[in-house]
Amino acid sequence: MSEWIDVGTVDDVPLLGSRVVQAPSGDIAVFKAADGTLFALRDRCPHKGGPLSQGIVHGHSVTCPLHNWVISLASGEAQGADQGCAHRIPLRIEGSRILLAASALMARAA
Amino acid sequence: MPKKLVVIGNGMAAGRVLEELFERVPGAYEVTIFGAEPRVNYNRIMLSPVLSGEKTYEDILIHDEAWYEAHRITLHRGKPVVEIDRVAKRVIAADGTAAEYDQLIVATGSMPFVVPIPGAALPGVVTYRDLDDVEKMLVTAQGGGRAIVIGGGLLGLEAAAGLKAQGMEVTVLHLMPTLMERQLDPSAGYLLQKAFEDRGIAVRCKANTHAILGETHVTGVRLDDGTEIPADIVVMAVGIRPNVALAKAAGLDTNRGVLVGDDMRTSDPDIFSVGECVEHRGLCYGLVAPLYEMAKVVAAQLAGDETAAYTGSVTATKLKVTGIDLFSAGDFGEAKDRQDIVLRDAARGVYKRLVLKENRIVGAVLYGETGDGSWFFDLLRRETDVSELRDTLIFGQSYVGGAPLDPTAAVAALPDDAEICGCNGVCKGKIVQAINEKGLSTLSEVRAHTKASASCGTCTGLVEQVMTLTLGDKFAKSTVEPMCACTDLGHDDVRRLIRAAELKSIPAVMQELGWKTSCGCAKCRPALNYYLLCDWPEDYEDDGRSRFINERVHANIQKDGTYSVVPRMWGGLTNPRELRAIADVAEKYNIPTVKVTGGQRIDLLGVRKEDLPAVWADLNDAGMVSGHAYAKGLRTVKTCVGKEWCRFGTQDSTGLGVRIERFMWGSWTPAKVKMGVSGCPRNCSEATCKDVGVICVDSGYEIHFAGAAGIHIKGTQVLCKVAEEDECIEVIAALTQLYREQGHYLERMYKWADRVGVESIRAMVVDDLGKRRDLYERFVISQRNAQIDPWAERVAGRDAHEFRPMANFTLAEAAE
């Protein structure tokens, strides 16, 4: 298996929005910030497992839809005083394709 | 070269030392902090409002990340220090992280005391000390159930009130005969117990817990007398113990706490200690005011002022339970040379007692009315001779000298060195001086510059009075809170500017009004989207990305990430065809729960997001549209059967409910709007706790509004009475439109009514027919673009990406 897996095109993800990639290791949320930067995180808020893909994207952050934790898209870390990490999934752009790290996709969730 | 200062402990005392230090000698020290908790510094005395749901963690932060960064502090969080090597002058944390110091501060605080009884280590037994504890309690409270709080002191009672507010059944067990016996005399303790019992909290005094019961988790407790009380959670709040283990192991002198002199130095002159871990002149303190006084002295010493000295504190206590006013200070034990002045007003639930010794106040207990607490406390601390005032002393400061004075007179009469803020030790003179010198005019500025009312906030009123006295008319009490951190403007200003400058898009608002962030945040974006939608219904295009998920996918998100779907049933009416369609949908999509809501609609719970469009398509096919149960908009119009069936019904309340719902559905509002129509004053549709309610009477329709049955329960107020159904609908639409135009986003109708005043609403909607018409017209125009079923739009393909994963690899993997 290759190290990177093609999950779709850059245009599949709406600006200031997200899409979900379902993987054996659990759902992964792929976000596109206002400046077009793409990020991938595990689709679970470190607080209570809320689906981050359903949150509002602002700056390079997303606010969890369940209890408004703000998560950094770049690091996965909870912002402000909250503690926890949603875990970043390594992401690469090749042309117009989005590639995610195979290891992160296939590893079964612990 | 800055000297190296290491601080062990990242709590309130340590934080205050650093604040004072940075103010005195900026840059003089290179600071490293070790904190055992994985957080920045927060206001521990505000845990109770967090537990009761009145505040959030964000509200009680003292220092955010930026503060640590700005002062170049190295913060090791979640790293408890395990060793102080006084010879090498360095400290070592559990994970091996080490730091060298020139000066060290031990601020290890205290630990909650756990009564060593059988079962004390069971899961479900928690202490009440930090946010983790609060979090545990909140999680348990989500399922309702029963809680037992062991300890009827300040902390225990605050925990009990908080858990009750979260919906648990609560019992307080207290060893002593009356509550808070260290601060209150038995009479006040009795009133307090009654107040708790009136709120539905059981209180058992003289209750000694024998054992905590349970196999794998707490199930209850057994008392000495054999009584067993069931419980899902047991909170131990029996006291705290100074945390001295580390200091002791390092060879510092300790007793109950770490011993310090008046200079706050320990037995090692390079090591200071501050906070709840300290023992000073034989006393350990567990309240915040003394810790802050100590912190000042530590900072002064570190800044080179060797004369700075701490000489001990007289403390006062307030219970932070909303609705219970209680103040206690000093000593009120019985003794021969002491005299009591007592005021009881049983009907009002007021009890005041002053204990005098040689014409000086030595103790004060105030229950039910605590406005004079700070005045009595001031007389007590100053040891003022009160023989001249004695006749009217108990009535408080307003009565001293005869006639009652106006409210600010009490504060005007205070001397400059009278303490206004007990938590932070800020006196009146300092506030006045800061206002004059720095040109302060808002409460938040005064808080920032003086710290007054910045901790527990119970002195906010006093601080505002000082501001009124100093600034006169220039001080407008209602300081405007900014919408969010992205702007300095409040909601009203933003709304006014959107209209005045004809701003018609979110980027335009952010650009023209100088937003501080590039694309806002999750607080301001939904608000701006709503304001633009409301003000420019024909021009503005809704921005789905600035809506909360519920409104983006037109269903309610549930805790597990599934959704719930509620179809409209106009006025609560349905028929066999609709019921059959709902049943079919539930079966077809394996929807696990079908529930009737409080608003007379049917809720399908547990729908997978991918299934939403198909579920909607089926419901649409059966003629049903979205019930907007997710919307900040019109939810339901609840009805009774009215004169068609009911022997008491006076009008066709069901028909009116259906008419209102058909006319108003789809309208977006600042927060959800629920309505009800009852056919007679028996009020079977519970119209008097709705945002808008109609009570039908023989002569017409009584229109009610500004009620709620949510976090706050509010009965409605009568807006007006009208004779005709058409007029009833016109008034309701005009009222809703006024709320749409004036409400702050997420502000319920009753809060809006409180803020702007019922009279001003009545003047626009009832008295001025021209204004009512205009409002009504604007509502009608807005409805032209609002009454589009969001489900049908999505079934037709809008936002399809929302409901489909971008890729799915789970099946591929299973085939491997």
Side-chain angles (χ1 to χ4, degrees):
Chain A
M1 195 193 296
S2 113
E3 273 176 64
W4 295 90
I5 293 185
D6 186 325
V7 296
T9 75
V10 169
D11 292 337
D12 287 341
V13 187
L15 204 62
L16 277 175
S18 75
R19 295 293 299 276
V20 172
V21 173
Q22 296 178 324
S25 61
D27 284 0
I28 291 165
V30 181
F31 299 91
K32 193 191 272 178
D35 59 7
T37 320
L38 286 151
F39 301 93
L41 297 178
R42 293 241 169 260
D43 194 15
R44 283 179 59 81
C45 179
H47 176 219
K48 300 219 163 156
L52 296 174
S53 56
Q54 316 294 293
I56 290 180
V57 176
H58 48 98
H60 282 186
S61 305
V62 61
T63 295
C64 175
L66 291 194
H67 306 98
N68 296 326
W69 277 35
V70 179
I71 307 294
S72 158
L73 293 174
S75 67
E77 292 281 353
Q79 301 295 286
D82 294 321
Q83 289 289 308
C85 185
H87 299 290
R88 195 176 59 87
I89 306 291
L91 174 147
R92 245 173 60 187
I93 308 292
E94 268 179 22
S96 66
R97 309 300 304 181
I98 302 172
L99 308 179
L100 298 181
S103 55
L105 234 70
M106 292 307 162
R108 290 193 178 276
Chain B
M1 253 298 269
K3 286 199 272 185
K4 291 194 185 92
L5 175 66
V6 171
V7 185
I8 306 176
N10 191 26
M12 298 177 72
R16 181 51 62 93
V17 172
L18 294 176
E19 264 179 39
E20 299 266 352
L21 184 65
F22 295 146
E23 199 170 297
R24 280 166 190 269
V25 284
Y29 286 92
E30 189 184 300
V31 179
T32 304
I33 304 177
F34 288 86
E37 272 191 78
R39 298 189 175 84
V40 291
N41 187 15
Y42 61 91
N43 192 339
R44 204 182 291 278
I45 50 177
M46 295 308 269
L47 285 177
S48 293
V50 174
L51 177 61
S52 65
E54 289 161 65
K55 284 191 187 291
T56 65
Y57 173 56
E58 287 70 31
D59 295 332
I60 69 165
L61 272 187
I62 299 177
H63 297 138
D64 56 13
E65 310 266 352
W67 183 83
Y68 291 91
E69 243 169 65
H71 292 98
R72 297 206 183 86
I73 297 169
T74 310
L75 172 61
H76 297 295
R77 45 181 144 185
K79 292 187 185 177
V81 170
V82 292
E83 190 191 336
I84 303 171
D85 181 345
R86 288 167 53 201
V87 182
K89 295 186 87 172
R90 57 189 219 131
V91 304
I92 302 148
D95 68 341
T97 311
E100 290 181 2
Y101 65 83
D102 296 309
Q103 308 268 295
L104 178 67
I105 299 175
V106 176
T108 44
S110 60
M111 309 222 291
F113 186 67
V114 176
V115 192
I117 46 174
L122 275 174
V125 180
V126 302
T127 53
Y128 186 26
R129 177 69 192 158
D130 59 27
L131 270 163
D132 291 333
D133 297 328
V134 171
E135 187 68 22
K136 278 183 220 159
M137 289 189 231
L138 287 175
V139 168
T140 311
Q142 274 175 4
R146 295 161 179 272
I148 289 177
V149 177
I150 301 180
L154 203 60
L155 266 188
L157 292 177
E158 289 184 7
L163 290 167
K164 180 73 191 174
Q166 294 294 343
M168 297 194 82
E169 261 184 63
V170 184
T171 303
V172 176
L173 302 177
H174 191 49
L175 194 55
M176 305 304 286
T178 55
L179 296 176
M180 285 183 74
E181 77 289 341
R182 279 170 58 195
Q183 291 88 9
L184 300 185
D185 63 12
S187 294
Y190 162 79
L191 284 174
L192 184 61
Q193 179 168 346
K194 248 182 47 180
F196 270 76
E197 286 167 350
D198 286 346
R199 305 179 154 215
I201 296 171
V203 178
R204 270 174 181 257
C205 289
K206 294 192 250 182
N208 197 10
T209 310
H210 187 81
I212 295 174
L213 310 174
E215 295 288 329
T216 56
H217 192 274
V218 163
T219 57
V221 304
R222 185 185 304 125
L223 303 182
D224 267 353
D225 66 4
T227 315
E228 289 189 3
I229 308 172
D232 303 298
I233 187 171
V234 172
V235 181
M236 286 249 193
V238 288
I240 52 171
R241 257 199 314 216
N243 200 354
V244 298
L246 182 68
K248 202 169 178 178
L252 298 176
D253 289 348
T254 59
N255 185 22
R256 213 159 79 81
V258 182
L259 291 172
V260 296
D262 287 358
D263 56 2
M264 297 309 294
R265 286 177 207 263
T266 63
S267 51
D268 179 334
D270 289 329
I271 304 181
F272 292 88
S273 189
V274 64
E276 290 181 343
C277 58
V278 159
E279 181 173 330
H280 173 263
R281 296 191 185 180
L283 291 173
C284 297
Y285 295 95
L287 294 168
V288 74
L291 313 190
Y292 282 180
E293 286 174 34
M294 291 177 195
K296 267 184 204 167
V297 175
V298 175
Q301 288 278 350
L302 283 169
D305 175 6
E306 288 181 3
T307 62
Y310 175 69
T311 54
S313 304
V314 186
T315 57
T317 306
K318 278 179 193 159
L319 186 68
K320 291 182 296 300
V321 174
T322 306
I324 298 182
D325 291 323
L326 183 143
F327 173 90
S328 158
D331 176 6
F332 42 82
E334 309 263 336
K336 274 189 183 160
D337 58 349
R338 295 182 174 191
Q339 295 160 333
D340 273 347
I341 304 177
V342 175
L343 171 82
R344 282 179 207 275
D345 184 340
R348 281 166 62 226
V350 172
Y351 171 82
K352 302 181 185 184
R353 179 178 179 212
L354 297 175
V355 183
L356 304 187
K357 182 177 168 182
E358 290 160 3
N359 283 319
R360 285 168 174 82
I361 298 177
V362 295
V365 186
L366 307 178
Y367 185 93
E369 201 179 87
T370 55
D372 286 309
S374 56
W375 185 59
F376 289 132
F377 188 48
D378 198 53
L379 294 173
L380 186 153
R381 295 203 321 162
R382 268 165 222 289
E383 301 178 10
T384 307
D385 186 327
V386 294
S387 39
E388 296 280 308
L389 314 172
R390 188 163 170 151
D391 288 351
T392 55
L393 187 64
I394 193 78
F395 299 113
Q397 191 176 15
S398 319
Y399 283 85
V400 168
L405 305 167
D406 81 80
T408 53
V411 177
L414 286 175
D416 273 351
D417 58 346
E419 185 172 275
I420 297 289
C421 172
C423 292
N424 293 291
V426 185
C427 62
K428 179 180 155 189
K430 183 164 176 198
I431 298 173
V432 174
Q433 192 188 347
I435 293 170
N436 289 334
E437 282 178 4
K438 304 199 168 117
L440 312 181
S441 59
T442 67
L443 183 64
S444 53
E445 285 173 351
V446 170
R447 280 183 180 156
H449 285 278
T450 68
K451 297 272 180 293
S453 88
S455 290
C456 85
T458 50
C459 63
T460 302
L462 283 182
V463 174
E464 287 186 333
Q465 288 189 5
V466 174
M467 295 184 69
T468 307
L469 281 168
T470 316
L471 294 166
D473 294 340
K474 275 186 287 177
F475 174 55
K477 241 186 194 176
S478 50
T479 44
V480 175
E481 285 285 325
M483 268 178 74
C484 65
C486 303
T487 178
D488 293 328
L489 296 166
H491 286 268
D492 286 327
D493 291 341
V494 170
R495 294 208 77 169
R496 206 168 297 128
L497 291 165
I498 286 176
R499 283 171 210 148
E502 300 206 3
L503 305 173
K504 296 191 177 177
S505 72
I506 290 180
V509 173
M510 292 180 175
Q511 180 60 35
E512 295 300 322
L513 306 187
W515 239 242
K516 293 188 259 181
T517 53
S518 67
C519 66
C521 69
K523 273 189 190 148
C524 59
R525 285 234 313 271
L528 294 180
N529 187 55
Y530 166 73
Y531 294 155
L532 292 162
L533 204 64
C534 174
D535 289 344
W536 317 111
E538 302 193 293
D539 300 336
Y540 177 69
E541 193 181 336
D542 184 33
D543 177 21
R545 302 168 306 181
S546 299
R547 286 197 179 260
F548 295 122
I549 184 64
N550 283 354
E551 290 183 349
R552 207 160 69 233
V553 303
H554 304 281
N556 282 325
I557 193 167
Q558 303 296 330
K559 59 189 274 191
D560 62 352
T562 64
Y563 289 81
S564 86
V565 168
V566 180
R568 247 188 216 294
M569 288 179 179
W570 309 101
L573 285 177
T574 184
N575 55 46
R577 189 176 46 82
E578 287 183 352
L579 291 172
R580 210 170 281 127
I582 290 173
D584 287 344
V585 162
E587 244 170 29
K588 183 169 166 190
Y589 299 98
N590 283 320
I591 294 171
T593 301
V594 180
K595 184 180 182 311
V596 175
T597 70
Q600 300 177 331
R601 306 295 185 267
I602 291 179
D603 195 356
L604 299 159
L605 288 139
V607 183
R608 296 186 312 147
K609 192 179 180 193
E610 305 90 280
D611 289 342
L612 284 173
V615 166
W616 297 335
D618 285 5
L619 293 169
N620 279 167
D621 283 348
M624 284 180 278
V625 298
S626 167
H628 286 87
Y630 43 80
K632 312 291 176 214
L634 178 76
R635 296 273 175 97
T636 52
V637 182
K638 190 174 179 178
T639 60
C640 69
V641 296
K643 76 172 177 191
E644 197 186 349
W645 294 96
C646 173
R647 65 204 159 97
F648 299 110
T650 63
Q651 310 280 355
D652 175 16
S653 53
T654 322
L656 177 57
V658 171
R659 240 189 106 182
I660 295 173
E661 190 162 345
R662 288 215 177 257
F663 176 53
M664 301 190 70
W665 76 277
S667 56
W668 300 104
T669 42
K672 65 182 171 186
V673 170
K674 295 181 170 183
M675 300 194 182
V677 184
S678 276
C680 76
R682 281 169 192 75
N683 194 17
C684 292
S685 67
E686 291 153 345
T688 52
C689 60
K690 299 285 186 282
D691 295 285
V692 181
V694 179
I695 303 287
C696 301
V697 290
D698 281 323
S699 56
Y701 306 85
E702 220 174 62
I703 302 174
H704 290 239
F705 82 123
I711 295 172
H712 299 104
I713 300 186
K714 295 259 296 184
T716 49
Q717 316 193 36
V718 178
L719 179 66
C720 63
K721 220 180 112 184
V722 296
E724 302 295 332
E725 212 179 83
D726 286 351
E727 197 185 358
C728 179
I729 287 184
E730 187 177 273
V731 168
I732 291 176
L735 169 70
T736 308
Q737 182 63 19
L738 189 62
Y739 166 55
R740 297 181 70 220
E741 292 175 7
Q742 293 184 342
H744 297 171
Y745 192 62
L746 300 186
E747 180 180 52
R748 287 289 299 269
M749 192 180 277
Y750 72 94
K751 290 199 170 160
W752 161 67
D754 278 353
R755 178 166 59 80
V756 303
V758 173
E759 283 315 313
S760 84
I761 295 170
R762 199 172 279 134
M764 298 270 282
V765 173
V766 181
D767 303 340
D768 188 329
L769 277 178
K771 290 214 168 90
R772 181 203 295 179
R773 270 275 103 189
D774 291 346
L775 284 163
Y776 177 82
E777 289 301 331
R778 290 204 289 276
F779 183 79
V780 170
I781 290 169
S782 168
Q783 283 300 80
R784 280 185 216 148
N785 300 285
Q787 289 196 327
I788 298 161
D789 178 34
W791 288 357
E793 277 187 302
R794 273 139 198 92
V795 169
R798 183 167 166 182
D799 294 343
H801 65 86
E802 276 283 0
F803 306 98
R804 275 202 307 264
M806 180 161 60
N808 184 339
F809 295 99
T810 51
L811 296 171
E813 207 263 351
E816 267 180 10

